[in-house]
Amino acid sequence: MAEIVRMPKMSDTMTEGVMAKWHKKVGDKVKSGDVMAEVETDKATMDLESYWDGTVLYIGVEEGKAVPVDAIIAVVGKEGEDYKAALDAEGGAAPANVEPATDKKAETPVEEKKETSSAPALTDADLEKQGVTVVRMPLLSDTMTEGVIAEWHKKVGDKIKNDDILADVETDKATMEVMGYAEGTLLHIGVEKGQAAKVNGIIAIVGPEGTDISGILSQGDAPAKPAADGKSDAPVEEKSSSSSQKEETPVASGSTDRVKASPLAKKIAQEKGIDLSQVAGSADGGRIIKKDIENFKPAAKVVEAGVPAEKSAPVIPQYVGEERFTEKPVSQMRKVIAKRLAESLFTAPHFYLNISIDMDNAMAARTAINSVAPVKVSFNDIIIKAVAVALKQHPAVNSSWRGDKIRFNEHTNIGVAMAVEDGLLVPVVRFADGKSLSHISAEVKEYGQKAKAKKLQPADWEGSTFTVSNLGMFGIDEFTSIINSPDGAILSVGAIQQIPVVKNGAVVPGNVMKLSLGCDHRVVDGATGAAFLQTLKGLLEEPIRLLV
């Protein structure tokens, strides 16, 4: 009987997995224990083993694709067995893009028939060939989703020239002018004054007088996709270039009236430091357009005889940069980081307590410890140990919110935040209060190597009761962290700084480290967190107490 292989839940936070690599293909023999594939989870890349003997009959997920937990990814059974019956019984038909080769051939003519059965809609480029221009709501800011027509400057039947202002549009940032960039008659106004239109929605149509526009309106707001041959763009480019080459008699824009200029002309003028009142506009009504700014030459100032020339302001060279960016798919780890931290920040009411620690004694103790320790002990190892000991004295900080109850943990499992290439991992040092500094140091170093190699297992990162995040090695003085749910608190550790301090009434050099305790106010109150920090301060300033 064919066996269904599903995406397993490989960690407590996993909701989907990416099929990193298949080690078997359809037709291959597999035995129980064979590695069928590698799955990238939110924490690491892990092996997916087969629990059955047989032949791979079906693979439902391509490499690089993500599938939710418990989704069907493969079928294993006897060679030649009908796997489709097993899929139908599970109600999990194969995705359209991952069907076996034999099924793809059967679908090909159906797909072709579907494409040829419907007549292609006219694109905006096709309409411009007919002299018709569809004016759509432009994207006037990076956050704009819709615009409100504040004012129409033209009405149906009016003649429109290139660079005429059709309307004022109120966006989420400002009120801006919209031009038609077309010549002809205003045939249709799609949005009344005061009404909103989605970005790319039809707000007007310009074309030859008497043109039937019912077919255009029946297509809806969404612009039709142009043909893939790329030929439709050529006439549009020719039209726009020819229209921009039309010469009109320049008309000076009066200084007493509002300066009329296109938004693009205003932007270029601002970048070049040109006063628009000195520019003669060549468009209708003396309106200033792009070519007027590009062709503008400032007139030389006439210096009157006997009057010394004023010292000219320094000329600031203009630098024109290019905005560029790249986009990458969100990794599984980054997806879960975003989801978990957003849930923590917006669910748990955070508050923060800050304290400064005199690290002189800790620095001396570390030097002495490392002279005899089998492994090098770091300041972070000392902090982990001190935190674990302090938590035993303050169980309210070593707690978590469970909805209808609060869990007070009697064990101290300290999560240690570690930066990796794709994001952040938090392996757990278990029962840290009972371990020596050398033991903690060796364990943290091993976790660090596993994290970089993506070899951490679910047991390594599950079950923390408190988290320590240290950015001191990067020179960060102090910072705050988001609580690693379901923990009730997190400690942010800054760098040790050498600063002047007052000791015994004298100003002397001192080594100070700042700590910030982030607390979930549902389980930790201010006084409770403050008492914990006082205990932690005492342990770090007198580290000999950690050995008692």
Side-chain angles (χ1 to χ4, degrees):
M1 178 180 175
E3 299 290 347
I4 298 293
V5 183
R6 298 180 180 275
M7 175 61 72
K9 186 178 179 69
M10 295 177 165
S11 77
D12 55 344
T13 59
M14 177 178 173
T15 57
E16 65 178 11
V18 172
M19 196 58 60
K21 184 177 181 180
W22 280 103
H23 291 287
K24 302 291 183 181
K25 61 183 183 294
V26 173
D28 284 357
K29 302 291 184 182
V30 292
K31 294 182 178 180
S32 178
D34 283 356
V35 176
M36 293 187 66
E38 293 178 15
V39 175
E40 180 187 342
T41 72
D42 55 313
K43 306 286 188 179
T45 300
M46 306 180 71
D47 293 337
L48 174 66
E49 296 182 359
S50 171
Y51 294 98
W52 305 277
D53 297 337
T55 302
V56 179
L57 303 176
Y58 165 78
I59 288 178
V61 183
E62 296 177 352
E63 289 185 0
K65 300 293 185 182
V67 289
V69 168
D70 210 34
I72 297 173
I73 58 175
V75 178
V76 175
K78 295 180 181 179
E79 189 172 1
E81 186 176 356
D82 182 13
Y83 67 87
K84 293 184 178 179
L87 288 177
D88 293 340
E90 294 290 336
N97 61 340
V98 214
E99 286 284 353
T102 54
D103 294 337
K104 289 180 181 176
K105 292 178 182 178
E107 288 185 0
T108 304
V110 179
E111 192 69 27
E112 290 175 358
K113 182 179 179 182
K114 189 185 295 184
E115 292 177 359
T116 56
S117 61
S118 58
L122 289 174
T123 65
D124 288 357
D126 295 332
L127 294 171
E128 288 200 24
K129 291 179 183 178
Q130 304 172 15
V132 177
T133 299
V134 176
V135 183
R136 300 183 181 273
M137 177 62 73
L139 181 66
L140 299 173
S141 78
D142 54 350
T143 58
M144 176 179 171
T145 58
E146 65 178 14
V148 174
I149 300 296
E151 187 69 46
W152 279 105
H153 296 290
K154 301 289 183 179
K155 60 183 184 293
V156 174
D158 285 357
K159 298 297 182 182
I160 306 297
K161 291 185 178 180
N162 195 23
D163 284 330
D164 275 358
I165 299 175
L166 293 183
D168 293 336
V169 172
E170 181 182 340
T171 73
D172 56 330
K173 300 289 179 64
T175 299
M176 307 177 72
E177 299 170 342
V178 172
M179 293 181 293
Y181 296 107
E183 296 192 4
T185 301
L186 184 57
L187 305 173
H188 171 74
I189 288 180
V191 183
E192 297 298 325
K193 176 182 175 181
Q195 298 297 314
K198 297 289 185 183
V199 169
N200 219 31
I202 297 176
I203 59 174
I205 299 176
V206 177
E209 190 172 359
T211 301
D212 181 11
I213 60 172
S214 58
I216 304 172
L217 297 177
S218 65
Q219 293 180 192
D221 282 343
K225 294 182 179 179
D229 60 7
K231 294 180 181 179
S232 60
D233 288 341
V236 181
E237 188 66 30
E238 290 173 7
K239 179 176 179 178
S240 63
S241 60
S242 62
S243 63
S244 64
Q245 292 172 0
K246 290 183 179 181
E247 296 291 340
E248 295 186 17
T249 305
V251 182
S253 55
S255 58
T256 56
D257 299 329
R258 180 175 70 92
V259 176
K260 297 180 180 179
S262 69
L264 180 58
K266 290 178 180 178
K267 181 179 179 182
I268 297 174
Q270 184 179 11
E271 291 175 352
K272 293 187 175 183
I274 297 175
D275 184 0
L276 288 174
S277 63
Q278 299 179 9
V279 181
S282 61
D284 185 40
R287 182 174 175 76
I288 300 169
I289 56 177
K290 176 183 175 183
K291 70 176 182 179
D292 299 326
I293 301 297
E294 293 175 341
N295 298 332
F296 173 72
K297 293 181 180 179
K301 292 184 178 179
V302 179
V303 181
E304 297 181 6
V307 179
E310 294 182 2
K311 186 177 180 180
S312 59
V315 179
I316 301 175
Q318 296 294 321
Y319 178 80
V320 180
E322 180 183 1
E323 294 183 359
R324 295 189 296 177
F325 61 87
T326 57
E327 292 182 347
K328 296 181 179 179
V330 180
S331 67
Q332 289 300 107
M333 181 181 294
R334 183 54 58 186
K335 284 181 183 178
V336 174
I337 289 173
K339 179 182 178 182
R340 291 286 305 280
L341 294 186
E343 287 176 352
S344 175
L345 183 62
F346 300 128
T347 302
H350 286 52
F351 74 92
Y352 296 94
L353 301 171
N354 304 312
I355 196 168
S356 296
I357 310 294
D358 181 354
M359 293 295 287
D360 285 348
N361 290 337
M363 294 174 71
R366 176 174 177 262
T367 302
I369 291 169
N370 282 334
S371 66
V372 295
V375 294
K376 186 177 180 180
V377 174
S378 69
F379 287 111
N380 202 50
D381 301 328
I382 297 173
I383 293 167
I384 292 170
K385 174 70 174 181
V387 164
V389 172
L391 287 174
K392 297 295 285 187
Q393 301 178 39
H394 300 275
V397 181
N398 195 35
S399 60
S400 60
W401 179 261
R402 297 286 172 169
D404 58 346
K405 55 184 174 290
I406 297 175
R407 175 178 294 178
F408 295 93
N409 298 295
E410 298 177 8
H411 58 284
T412 55
N413 289 351
I414 309 301
V416 184
M418 292 183 177
V420 293
E421 183 180 355
D422 297 330
L424 184 72
L425 292 174
V426 188
V428 180
V429 178
R430 301 179 188 280
F431 315 114
D433 60 304
K435 294 180 178 178
S436 67
L437 290 171
S438 297
H439 192 160
I440 292 172
S441 177
E443 197 168 325
V444 171
K445 286 180 174 61
E446 182 182 1
Y447 281 145
Q449 293 171 358
K450 284 185 176 181
K452 289 181 180 179
K454 296 186 177 181
K455 296 298 183 182
L456 286 174
Q457 298 300 308
D460 297 330
W461 63 68
E462 294 174 352
S464 68
T465 62
F466 187 95
T467 303
V468 173
S469 180
N470 190 340
L471 293 179
M473 66 283 293
F474 297 105
I476 302 301
D477 299 339
E478 58 182 320
F479 67 102
T480 58
S481 305
I482 299 174
I483 296 170
N484 181 31
S485 180
D487 297 353
I490 185 170
L491 185 71
S492 305
V493 182
I496 299 175
Q497 295 178 291
Q498 192 171 44
I499 61 174
V501 297
V502 178
K503 290 186 178 181
N504 301 321
V507 178
V508 296
N511 296 284
V512 176
M513 178 178 69
K514 293 182 179 180
L515 303 178
S516 178
L517 180 67
C519 305
D520 180 349
H521 217 325
R522 295 175 298 181
V523 295
V524 180
D525 293 325
T528 307
F532 167 80
L533 283 180
Q534 284 296 329
T535 301
L536 181 60
K537 177 182 174 73
L539 291 169
L540 291 173
E541 292 184 345
E542 297 179 35
I544 190 73
R545 295 166 56 187
L546 296 174
L547 307 177
V548 178

